[in-house]
Amino acid sequence: MKPLIVLNLKTYLEGTGEGAVRIARACKEVGGASGIEIAIAPQFCDIYRVASQVDVPVYSQHLDGVGAGSFTGHAFAKCIKDAGAVGTLINHSECRLKLADIEASVTAAKGEGLRTIICTNNIATTAAAAALGPDYVAVEPPELIGSGIPVSKADPEVVTGSVAAVERIDTAVKVLCGAGISKGEDLKAAIELGSVGVLLASGIVKAKDPKAALEDLVSLI
């Protein structure tokens, strides 16, 4: 099974507007050459821009558990799908939700056929997230996000423990790991610890040459 790489553009200037399209093209080229699925999570306003110009899996950075109606300012699942997204992040450490809201978001996303990645920060929250039946959980200790120190080195037990916890709850749910991931050795270590891929951001988005950084990321797989 080839790993999944999900590149979160956050609100970095380098990944905004046409920058998002350029990085998406790099994801497509490197993914095509390596045979590895590389998805991208741009800002809401760039979902359609990216999805309509580049044949690459697009994820939303967030999705609210609301339907059609009087929900001003919310991220509506149908609108996200119609813009071209195939999935969504839920409960990123920079956009945290209460448990009931996570469940509502998962339900709304599934109702539109969107893939779901619930972000977690430790083994206990990973287990709770797995019980909601997402496609993936992505465990990211927040203190390591953007640090350049990969979770696979700094806290490998949180990855192996999360994988074991998820397997006990729902074998259909797969584990991604994130925080500090940027190099080929980081992805290789993440896979060896039992995850099926990574969620990453600044190490690629803010790199001088994002395509070269992606090529390095997949070089040992």
Side-chain angles (χ1 to χ4, degrees), residues 2 5 10 34 43 58 64 76 84 92 108 113-114 116 122 132 137 140 150 156 192:
K2 288 285 189 179
I5 296 169
K10 302 195 176 186
S34 64
Q43 297 167 55
V58 177
D64 289 306
F76 175 32
H92 191 275
L114 293 168
T116 49
N122 56 42
L132 300 178
V137 291
E140 294 187 296
E192 290 172 347

Side-chain angles (χ1 to χ4, degrees), residues 161-185:
S162 291
V163 170
V166 169
E167 285 180 346
R168 287 193 296 269
I169 292 165
D170 187 345
T171 56
V173 179
K174 303 305 179 187
V175 177
L176 304 173
C177 77
I181 305 292
S182 63
K183 301 183 185 306
E185 62 190 79

Side-chain angles (χ1 to χ4, degrees), residues 7 9 14-32 38-42 46-47 49-58 204-205 210-211 214:
L7 181 59
L9 302 188
E14 295 90 341
T16 298
E18 286 305 311
V21 175
R22 285 193 295 272
I23 293 174
R25 289 193 174 118
C27 290
K28 176 175 173 55
E29 290 170 12
V30 175
I38 305 179
I40 191 167
D46 287 328
I47 291 175
R49 184 198 304 265
V50 171
S52 63
Q53 294 186 52
V54 186
D55 183 17
V56 66
V58 177
I204 304 297
V205 182
K211 183 180 178 184
L214 283 168

Side-chain angles (χ1 to χ4, degrees), residues 10-218:
K10 302 195 176 186
T11 59
Y12 293 130
L13 285 175
E14 295 90 341
T16 298
E18 286 305 311
V21 175
R22 285 193 295 272
I23 293 174
R25 289 193 174 118
C27 290
K28 176 175 173 55
E29 290 170 12
V30 175
S34 64
I36 294 173
E37 181 176 3
I38 305 179
I40 191 167
Q43 297 167 55
F44 292 126
C45 296
D46 287 328
I47 291 175
Y48 179 77
R49 184 198 304 265
V50 171
S52 63
Q53 294 186 52
V54 186
D55 183 17
V56 66
V58 177
Y59 281 67
S60 175
Q61 294 182 6
H62 170 73
L63 183 150
D64 289 306
V66 301
S70 303
F71 298 103
T72 301
H74 288 73
F76 175 32
K78 177 172 170 49
C79 188
I80 286 170
K81 182 177 182 180
D82 288 352
V86 301
T88 185
L89 304 181
I90 297 170
N91 193 52
H92 191 275
S93 66
E94 295 157 2
C95 191
R96 284 189 174 165
L97 301 172
K98 295 178 180 177
L99 186 59
D101 295 327
I102 296 172
E103 182 178 21
S105 293
V106 170
T107 299
K110 285 185 173 182
E112 291 296 331
L114 293 168
R115 300 176 204 160
T116 49
I117 301 173
I118 300 179
C119 300
T120 62
N121 61 357
N122 56 42
I123 296 170
T125 57
T126 298
L132 300 178
D135 295 288
Y136 302 92
V137 291
V139 58
E140 294 187 296
E143 66 274 13
L144 296 177
I145 293 176
S147 68
I149 304 170
V151 63
S152 52
K153 286 185 177 178
D155 193 2
E157 291 81 12
V158 77
V159 181
T160 55
S162 291
V163 170
V166 169
E167 285 180 346
R168 287 193 296 269
I169 292 165
D170 187 345
T171 56
V173 179
K174 303 305 179 187
V175 177
L176 304 173
C177 77
I181 305 292
S182 63
K183 301 183 185 306
E185 62 190 79
D186 305 334
L187 176 58
K188 184 173 183 287
I191 301 302
E192 290 172 347
L193 290 170
S195 74
V196 300
V198 294
L199 172 63
L200 74 167
S202 60
I204 304 297
V205 182
K206 297 178 75 67
K208 187 173 294 185
D209 184 342
K211 183 180 178 184
L214 283 168
E215 288 171 337
D216 177 75
L217 183 69
V218 304

